[in-house]
Amino acid sequence: MSQAYDVIVVGAGPGGYVAAIRASQLGLKTAVVERDHLGGICLNWGCIPTKAMLRSSEVFHIMHRAKEFGLKASGIDYDLDAVVKRSRKIAGQLSSGVSHLLKKNKVAVYMGEASLPAQGQVAVKTDKGIEALTAKNIILATGARARELPGLEADGDLVWTYKHALTPSRMPKKLLVIGSGAIGIEFASFYNTLGCDTTVVEVMDRILPVEDAEISAFAKKAFEKQGMKFREKAMVKSLDRGKGKVTAHIEQAQKTTREEFDAVISAVGIVGNVEGLGLEALGVQIDRSHVVTDAYCRTGIPGLYAIGDIAGAPWLAHKASHEGVMVAELIAGGHPPAVDPQAIAGCTYCHPQVASVGMTEAKAKEAGHDIRVGRFPFIGNGKAIALGEPEGMIKTIFDAKTGALLGAHMVGAEVTELIQGYVVARGLETTEEDLMNTVFPHPTLSEMMHESVLDAFDRAIHF
């Protein structure tokens, strides 16, 4: 006999578990199905453990700068196993926290692999057999996995995905990272900071290709200063795997060179987890491994929604969580606003950090806007200098006619925390006048946000 629910969520990542909790809060009888770990990839193998490891590398970097701060330190070293252990402990702690939250909110949890045999039905394959569940509303939140290119498949020894890079058995002396998006650059930053000779290959004409071109160029200079190497407009055509070494065939400017590395991290994008669910039989439209939805995450099949990475870009945990809340409220009879992709901030936790929201300068021009652009460097900010972090920049883009904030782009210390100020400003449809009249506290890094706005209108004070 099947168990009946108002809502069943398939996947307990940052989109799924949030959707389930919100649905239960709204009085809906809710269940969530998860095949691996509560919290999903983000919490267990992505957002959180990578930030824990990057924090270790950041502290290691600062320790080497002790003399700059009038301090003394000697014998500075790291314990890779301990770094990994700390990262895994934090992920485990938060996964347990998700379990507690689901229990607290009376969400039924089924651990197993889900499929949708018919509309409104979910079959869960568990250790004990098949559990049959029914619900008028089903939310797909199955996430995504690392894309693997032919000939570059991970083996866990010489060629790694993000999972292998998070639990390395050794520190490679020479590392190749394929792909310079957020995942690739974060791992490149971590390993390079710990002393690994790191090369990044990017198929596009610049690293961090989704970011504003000026920010990408600034970040690249900072990374190169740290010793990182870049091969842009290049492709890794094949890998020859040997004993403890891998030779990469890298094509650039119609010329192929061979270079030997100790390990390779493949970070060439993601693929939606759409297989084995029975979606095709239900008539769900799938485009390049992602479920096609409207602005409210509806699939076109009555009562079936898709949120987070499975529903396409931007592939960000906070986007998934917000979509989860939106769909839960929609199911409960509410009228939530649709999630606007342009309002979603992107954050990359390398050193220096990179963060952005809205249009790049190029996109704003392509869209036909007459724009005003403001910039302010970290070197002009007292707090940044006091922190010993004078390298960075904040860039703002406004519509010259309306004063609307079209986009904001940052590179430097703690910009992943600063960006939310501009996210709120855009959400409130704040104009340049509102921002210029806002009093920012001193001394803070946030003052640079104010100065960047002032600069866009030729009113900057400190630069």
Side-chain angles (χ1 to χ4, degrees):
M1 185 175 177
S2 62
Q3 288 282 342
Y5 293 91
D6 297 317
V7 179
I8 298 173
V9 183
V10 181
Y17 86 76
V18 169
I21 289 172
R22 184 63 185 135
S24 185
Q25 288 175 345
L26 291 166
L28 300 169
K29 185 180 179 183
T30 307
V32 66
V33 182
E34 172 55 49
R35 69 180 180 184
D36 290 321
H37 308 285
L38 296 176
I41 292 296
C42 175
L43 192 154
N44 292 281
W45 293 104
C47 318
I48 302 302
T50 55
K51 305 313 164 281
M53 291 179 73
L54 282 161
R55 177 60 173 164
S56 292
S57 68
E58 181 184 15
V59 172
F60 183 71
H61 171 73
I62 292 172
M63 288 169 70
H64 277 88
R65 298 175 57 198
K67 189 176 180 180
E68 292 178 36
F69 298 92
L71 306 174
K72 294 181 179 180
S74 60
I76 300 167
D77 203 353
Y78 64 86
D79 180 337
L80 184 61
D81 289 341
V83 169
V84 172
K85 185 177 179 181
R86 175 179 181 270
S87 171
R88 301 315 309 156
K89 182 180 179 182
I90 290 168
Q93 177 184 339
L94 291 175
S95 183
S96 296
V98 172
S99 177
H100 168 74
L101 288 172
L102 291 169
K103 185 177 180 180
K104 175 185 174 183
N105 285 280
K106 298 179 174 58
V107 175
V109 177
Y110 292 85
M111 297 303 296
E113 192 151 352
S115 61
L116 280 61
Q119 188 176 327
Q121 297 180 25
V122 175
V124 186
K125 184 179 180 181
T126 70
D127 295 337
K128 299 177 182 178
I130 303 294
E131 291 266 13
L133 313 177
T134 62
K136 186 178 178 182
N137 300 285
I138 297 171
I139 303 173
L140 299 174
T142 53
R145 63 187 183 278
R147 181 186 298 277
E148 294 196 276
L149 300 179
L152 310 182
E153 295 90 352
D155 54 34
D157 179 24
L158 296 172
V159 184
W160 301 347
T161 64
Y162 59 88
K163 282 192 175 182
H164 305 121
L166 281 168
T167 54
S169 59
R170 69 187 191 284
M171 175 58 71
K173 291 180 180 179
K174 192 174 181 184
L175 173 71
L176 172 64
V177 178
I178 308 174
S180 73
I183 295 173
I185 285 295
E186 286 184 357
F187 279 123
S189 188
F190 170 78
Y191 282 98
N192 187 74
T193 301
L194 294 186
C196 182
D197 181 354
T198 304
T199 298
V200 179
V201 171
E202 171 55 52
V203 70
M204 303 296 283
D205 61 356
R206 58 188 174 89
I207 68 164
L208 295 167
V210 302
E211 300 295 342
D212 185 88
E214 198 171 355
I215 299 297
S216 293
F218 192 106
K220 180 185 175 183
K221 285 184 180 179
F223 298 146
E224 287 178 331
K225 190 176 179 181
Q226 297 165 24
M228 220 179 289
K229 304 178 188 71
F230 295 97
R231 303 278 294 274
E232 294 159 319
K233 294 172 68 175
M235 290 181 66
V236 178
K237 303 296 288 185
S238 62
L239 297 172
D240 297 334
R241 307 172 201 226
K243 189 174 181 181
K245 298 286 182 181
V246 57
T247 301
H249 297 251
I250 305 172
E251 183 181 87
Q252 188 177 30
Q254 299 183 325
K255 180 183 178 182
T256 301
T257 57
R258 301 170 72 228
E259 194 168 348
E260 195 172 75
F261 297 91
D262 298 312
V264 176
I265 297 176
S266 178
V268 292
I270 62 173
V271 178
N273 292 323
V274 295
E275 303 89 350
L277 292 166
L279 301 183
E280 295 86 349
L282 289 176
V284 175
Q285 187 179 349
I286 297 172
D287 180 24
R288 288 169 292 182
S289 84
H290 293 90
V291 174
V292 177
T293 67
D294 67 7
Y296 285 94
C297 299
R298 294 175 291 215
T299 65
I301 308 300
L304 184 62
Y305 303 82
I307 65 173
D309 287 356
I310 193 179
W315 298 285
L316 300 167
H318 42 290
K319 173 251 195 185
S321 296
H322 205 79
E323 286 180 337
V325 171
M326 177 190 71
V327 169
E329 293 181 352
L330 196 66
I331 291 169
H335 303 280
V339 176
D340 175 12
Q342 283 290 325
I344 306 292
C347 297
T348 305
Y349 298 82
C350 42
H351 182 77
Q353 294 179 3
V354 177
S356 60
V357 66
M359 293 182 177
T360 63
E361 183 177 351
K363 290 291 184 184
K365 289 177 179 177
E366 286 174 22
H369 291 279
D370 179 14
I371 62 173
R372 295 190 69 111
V373 180
R375 301 170 181 83
F376 195 81
F378 273 49
I379 192 65
N381 178 261
K383 178 68 178 292
I385 295 171
L387 290 175
E389 299 287 353
E391 293 188 9
M393 178 177 69
I394 292 181
K395 178 177 180 178
T396 46
I397 302 160
F398 292 88
D399 185 287
K401 296 176 182 177
T402 66
L405 176 62
L406 300 176
H409 308 273
M410 308 177 172
V411 56
E414 300 303 327
V415 296
T416 58
E417 298 292 339
L418 295 179
I419 193 65
Q420 188 61 17
Y422 286 134
V423 175
V424 172
R426 292 185 80 255
L428 295 174
E429 299 183 356
T430 301
T431 66
E432 90 291 359
E433 185 177 358
D434 298 320
L435 287 166
M436 286 193 286
N437 289 332
T438 299
V439 180
F440 284 73
H442 173 79
T444 64
L445 297 177
S446 68
E447 290 175 276
M448 292 184 287
M449 299 167 66
H450 190 218
E451 291 275 8
S452 178
V453 175
L454 292 171
D455 183 60
F457 295 86
D458 303 317
R459 289 179 53 179
I461 301 295
H462 293 98
F463 184 72

